[in-house]
Amino acid sequence: MSKVRVLVGTKKGAFVCTSDEARQDWAIEGPFFCGWEIYHVKGSPVDPDRIFASQTSGWFGQIIQRSDDGGKTWNPPGSKPEDLVNEMGWPQGESNKFVYDGVAGTHKWYDGTPHPWEFKRVWHLEPSLSDPNVVFAGVEDAAMFKSSDGGASWTELSGLRTHTTGQDWQPGAGGMCLHTILIDPTDHDRMFVAISAAGAFRTDDGGTTWKPVNRGLSSNFMPDPDAEVGHCVHRIAFHPSKPQTLYMQKHWDIMRSDDSGDMWREVSGNLPSDFGFPIDVHAHEPETVYVVPIKSDSEHVPPDGKLRVYRSRTGGNEWEALTQGLPQKNCYVNVLREAMAVDTLDECGVYFGTTGGQVYVSPNSGDNWTAINEHFPPVLSVEVQTLK
Amino acid sequence: MIRVTLPHHLRNLAGVGPEVELDVDRPVTVSTVLDALEARYPVLRGTVRDHGTLKRRPFLRFFVCGRDVSLEPSDKELPMDVTEGAQPFMIVGAIAGG
């Protein structure tokens, strides 16, 4: 019998929720790293018991944690002194060492002046599709790092940050973060990232060189609404069987590209609001997409106090509200960009977490929802593993 | 033997109690104490001072003998009471946040 493992990152720790394929009864373990912000937790598709977590704190900086037993026990990778002694007899301790390549230079600050690149935290961890020792990290200030030793040490893929447009990147309200990494399952050298507020970028050579893929996006807050970079992309997603088709939740607008990001078109259609953060795709239907609209960029709450996931079965434009089991009055939570995921069971499960601490599951593609737990700390990220 | 006290979260991270003891060669300074702490507990590298720049993290302070030495040069020798283990070198997290 299959089971699912839901990995929840919150403002006060990580939680691991497990259930069988009915997805009705849940065992909850945690909090792990209680009191720390856990921006993201994600397991390796090659070795599902290997799970990486980004643990951060305004006091103590960034820690990378790794579990090799499905989330039961955790350690910073390579942190044991006996694993680390170098030729000088000193521990190396580099699992949380994120240092920009070369002279980091500057990007734009909120007021348009140059500002030095400063590493702050890891927003997103994306394990390789083929090697359990390879994992990518998307960080703030925006850059991409790669580890080839299970997270013990990290090297920047600096071709992204040093792109000719890099000095013009500017932070969004939440900081200048690289929050989305997608690896094309048909060509692992092709990857997409999204940066708030620089836009979307694509590499076709494993991260050595990058190009902005933002044509068709329009952002009225920019001096040139159609500029090559500067767009506040909140999330991008694709279906593994159709990776050339991308969906995007932007700072206003739901967008779609059918040519790997070379050109985008708006598919917001009949949504009550095209502002929001997460977007995801049904596990078996590449044209079925989910978003959670919120009222506006200044009021990050559901319209009319009703928490509604919107589903399109036509790849955008036509959207239906999914409400069964979700609060339909007096609800003022938000759903953050990392906080939605799907499982791959025969009947696709959809999951999301809120800033109010609820994690909801729909075991039937969004038709009905129940709460896995209603009293977590504010949820920062949700990922799902489907286990045989 | 130098005594070092740690904030709650760093104790948990390093798997230690409220105070650790370290052998530190003379002269004993903020830098040599932190070098010894990170050598003994590699998981703490990057948490007290930035991994790249080795600058003290803004919300952390260093106290010795009732005195805040956070802003003093990190290579200045610490008081005898600390170097002889009579008083601890205290790493304290600011009371802030939610």
Side-chain angles (χ1 to χ4, degrees):
Chain A
M1 175 179 276
S2 299
K3 67 174 186 175
V4 292
R5 185 191 288 144
V6 182
L7 308 170
V8 183
T10 80
K11 287 198 79 168
K12 299 291 181 186
F15 298 85
V16 178
C17 313
T18 52
S19 177
D20 61 21
E21 60 194 22
R23 291 158 290 184
Q24 291 178 339
D25 300 314
W26 294 88
I28 300 174
E29 295 173 273
F32 301 99
F33 329 114
C34 190
W36 295 68
E37 291 184 307
I38 307 299
Y39 265 62
H40 197 213
V41 191
K42 190 157 190 181
S44 164
V46 186
D47 175 5
D49 278 346
R50 170 162 285 191
I51 304 171
F52 298 91
S54 170
Q55 172 186 357
T56 79
S57 148
W59 286 258
F60 310 116
Q62 175 69 50
I63 306 290
I64 294 295
Q65 296 277 357
R66 193 182 84 202
S67 174
D68 289 326
D69 57 9
K72 295 182 180 64
T73 61
W74 296 84
N75 283 296
S79 66
K80 296 174 186 172
E82 60 270 28
D83 295 339
L84 289 170
V85 176
N86 67 10
E87 66 276 9
M88 300 296 289
W90 284 84
Q92 298 178 83
E94 296 188 329
S95 61
N96 59 344
K97 188 174 184 177
F98 290 87
V99 177
Y100 296 119
D101 197 18
V103 177
T106 61
H107 59 78
K108 273 189 185 168
W109 197 233
Y110 294 99
D111 59 5
T113 61
H115 189 84
W117 294 80
E118 297 171 320
F119 171 78
K120 295 182 180 67
R121 59 178 62 83
V122 172
W123 279 69
H124 185 98
L125 290 161
E126 190 66 30
S128 157
L129 302 178
S130 57
D131 184 342
N133 283 319
V134 172
V135 57
F136 299 91
V139 314
E140 179 190 359
D141 287 341
M144 187 160 168
F145 283 76
K146 179 180 182 180
S147 173
S148 299
D149 54 11
S153 63
W154 296 87
T155 304
E156 188 191 3
L157 298 175
S158 55
L160 174 61
R161 188 177 49 80
T162 59
H163 186 271
T164 53
T165 62
Q167 60 189 356
D168 296 324
W169 300 355
Q170 203 164 349
M176 198 168 77
C177 52
L178 195 165
H179 50 70
T180 304
I181 301 172
L182 299 175
I183 304 172
D184 187 333
T186 64
D187 175 2
H188 296 185
D189 283 339
R190 170 167 281 196
M191 295 186 280
F192 301 87
V193 302
I195 297 170
S196 297
F201 297 81
R202 188 182 81 210
T203 178
D204 293 321
D205 56 14
T208 304
T209 60
W210 295 81
K211 63 177 278 191
V213 283
N214 299 306
R215 285 179 63 210
L217 307 185
S218 186
S219 301
N220 289 332
F221 61 84
M222 292 159 50
D224 173 6
D226 306 318
E228 185 179 34
V229 298
H231 302 275
C232 190
V233 178
H234 288 181
R235 192 70 170 167
I236 54 176
F238 62 25
H239 189 278
S241 72
K242 200 176 178 186
Q244 72 278 15
T245 294
L246 295 160
Y247 299 98
M248 173 190 292
Q249 171 69 69
K250 196 166 129 300
H251 189 101
W252 298 114
D253 305 331
I254 311 296
M255 305 297 293
R256 170 181 177 134
S257 169
D258 288 301
D259 52 11
S260 301
D262 286 339
M263 180 58 78
W264 296 85
R265 60 187 166 91
E266 186 177 357
V267 291
S268 304
N270 62 327
L271 286 170
S273 164
D274 57 11
F275 194 93
F277 286 96
I279 190 164
D280 214 338
V281 184
H282 190 286
H284 312 303
E285 301 169 12
E287 297 288 316
T288 297
V289 191
Y290 301 88
V291 295
V292 184
I294 52 178
K295 203 169 171 187
S296 72
D297 55 355
S298 55
E299 306 163 282
H300 288 185
V301 296
D304 306 319
K306 299 175 179 178
L307 182 57
R308 290 168 290 186
V309 176
Y310 276 74
R311 178 176 62 194
S312 172
R313 290 205 184 268
T314 54
N317 287 319
E318 300 94 19
W319 298 88
E320 59 178 321
L322 307 173
T323 62
Q324 292 297 316
L326 298 177
Q328 294 306 296
K329 62 179 181 180
N330 301 326
C331 183
Y332 299 99
V333 298
N334 192 8
V335 181
L336 300 180
R337 68 185 90 235
E338 295 270 32
M340 177 178 266
V342 298
D343 67 32
T344 59
L345 291 174
D346 288 342
E347 180 79 73
C348 176
V350 187
Y351 305 74
F352 71 93
T354 79
T355 55
Q358 300 84 32
V359 173
Y360 292 101
V361 54
S362 169
N364 51 11
S365 303
D367 290 340
N368 302 89
W369 299 86
T370 56
I372 294 176
N373 186 31
E374 294 184 282
H375 305 291
F376 283 132
V379 175
L380 301 175
S381 67
V382 173
E383 294 285 356
V384 186
Q385 296 177 288
T386 309
L387 307 171
K388 299 298 178 191
Chain B
M1 192 69 77
I2 305 299
R3 296 160 53 202
V4 179
T5 62
L6 296 170
H8 170 83
H9 284 310
L10 296 190
R11 292 177 213 161
N12 286 346
L13 191 60
V16 298
E19 188 171 296
V20 298
E21 294 184 344
L22 302 168
D23 287 318
V24 183
D25 292 336
R26 304 293 175 95
V28 177
T29 67
V30 169
S31 286
T32 60
V33 170
L34 296 179
D35 285 347
L37 180 72
E38 293 171 352
R40 175 82 175 275
Y41 303 103
V43 70
L44 297 182
R45 284 192 167 221
T47 63
V48 178
R49 47 187 183 176
D50 181 86
H51 220 322
T53 64
L54 296 184
K55 285 184 182 171
R56 172 180 56 85
R57 291 202 166 275
F59 288 167
L60 294 185
R61 310 291 285 191
F62 307 137
F63 287 86
V64 294
C65 305
R67 193 159 57 85
D68 183 353
V69 297
S70 307
L71 301 178
E72 296 183 5
S74 60
D75 58 354
K76 181 181 174 183
E77 190 159 6
L78 294 172
M80 192 69 74
D81 275 356
V82 175
T83 62
E84 293 181 344
Q87 291 284 328
F89 178 87
M90 302 176 73
I91 301 173
V92 177
I95 308 301

